[in-house]
Amino acid sequence: MADLKKLQQNLEAKGIQYRYFATGQEAADYLDGQIDGVSVGIGGSATVKAIGLYPKLTAHNQVVWHWEGGSLADAAQTEVYLSSANALAETGEIVNIDGNCNRIASTVYGHRKVYFVVGINKLEPDFERALWRARNVAAPKRAQSLGKHTPCAAKADRCYDCSSPERVCRALNVIWCRPTPIEHMEVVLIGEELGM
């Protein structure tokens, strides 16, 4: 069973704020209240999409999301950035693997505030398990959802460390502590299974 108190203590010791919500609706309402009158970039996130956050934020922010017609470059220039994580460790590490690398770049540099919106299914007890999950669960599922022709997409069972031109896992990012240039970093954990 997940130790959410341990997670909170470990994140806060690393300069990363933490909030927990039982439902995606509660998390979306919270973020909608926190993010107001600013420019917002969103990385590719099935979790953000699932909780219906985009239409809420567009009512009172300038939001850029490549899934909604925006550009990756414009999303990188915003004040606030939203992403999910491929895995989150109770020991406080946030793990992401990326193909375009827009998410991993924007979660460590260029924005005043960064929020990670994460389903409970992404939570692992330690860094080693979080890294394993990112490589062997999240990345294959993402490749499969994009219709890629990679070994991991064919079976969706693990990373094959392939050399396919359609490979979606081209870079790995581990956040051990809040990066210095980012003023506010926060994990919003949701007690529902969301995303890949």
Side-chain angles (χ1 to χ4, degrees), residues 112-182:
R112 286 193 312 107
K113 297 183 178 183
V114 173
Y115 292 88
F116 290 95
V117 187
V118 184
I120 196 77
N121 50 307
K122 313 263 188 86
L123 186 60
E124 295 289 347
D126 55 40
F127 170 66
E128 289 75 19
R129 291 297 304 166
L131 179 60
W132 187 92
R133 184 197 190 282
R135 292 193 72 197
N136 298 291
V137 176
K141 284 183 179 182
R142 183 68 180 134
Q144 198 171 55
S145 76
L146 292 171
K148 299 295 185 181
H149 297 92
T150 60
C152 70
K155 296 183 179 181
D157 62 341
R158 67 179 176 92
C159 174
Y160 288 82
D161 198 18
C162 70
S163 57
S164 169
E166 294 190 15
R167 181 177 177 149
V168 298
C169 51
R170 293 180 177 267
L172 168 73
N173 172 293
V174 179
I175 295 177
W176 282 291
C177 290
R178 177 183 54 83
T180 306
I182 295 173

Side-chain angles (χ1 to χ4, degrees), residues 1-179:
M1 177 171 280
D3 187 341
L4 300 185
K5 186 67 174 172
K6 175 184 175 184
L7 172 64
Q8 180 175 2
Q9 289 171 344
N10 286 326
L11 285 171
E12 290 178 354
K14 297 168 183 290
I16 302 168
Q17 299 300 307
Y18 167 83
R19 299 287 184 285
Y20 174 83
F21 297 94
T23 68
Q25 180 64 54
E26 292 170 329
D29 290 344
Y30 166 74
L31 289 163
D32 188 41
Q34 294 295 304
I35 303 168
D36 183 47
V38 294
S39 59
V40 181
I42 304 177
S45 172
T47 302
V48 169
K49 184 174 183 175
I51 67 172
L53 187 56
Y54 177 77
K56 288 178 175 286
L57 292 178
T58 56
H60 54 101
N61 297 281
Q62 177 192 350
V63 184
V64 182
W65 193 7
H66 64 287
W67 285 9
E68 295 290 335
S71 77
L72 297 177
D74 289 342
Q77 304 301 315
T78 58
E79 297 167 82
V80 175
Y81 194 78
L82 296 169
S83 179
S84 191
N86 294 137
L88 173 64
E90 287 178 20
T91 46
E93 297 86 6
I94 303 166
V95 182
N96 263 318
I97 292 175
D98 207 350
N100 288 325
C101 302
N102 59 302
R103 290 182 314 135
I104 63 173
S106 282
T107 57
V108 296
Y109 190 81
H111 306 276
R112 286 193 312 107
K113 297 183 178 183
V114 173
Y115 292 88
F116 290 95
V117 187
V118 184
I120 196 77
N121 50 307
K122 313 263 188 86
L123 186 60
E124 295 289 347
D126 55 40
F127 170 66
E128 289 75 19
R129 291 297 304 166
L131 179 60
W132 187 92
R133 184 197 190 282
R135 292 193 72 197
N136 298 291
V137 176
K141 284 183 179 182
R142 183 68 180 134
Q144 198 171 55
S145 76
L146 292 171
K148 299 295 185 181
H149 297 92
T150 60
C152 70
K155 296 183 179 181
D157 62 341
R158 67 179 176 92
C159 174
Y160 288 82
D161 198 18
C162 70
S163 57
S164 169
E166 294 190 15
R167 181 177 177 149
V168 298
C169 51
R170 293 180 177 267
L172 168 73
N173 172 293
V174 179
I175 295 177
W176 282 291
C177 290
R178 177 183 54 83

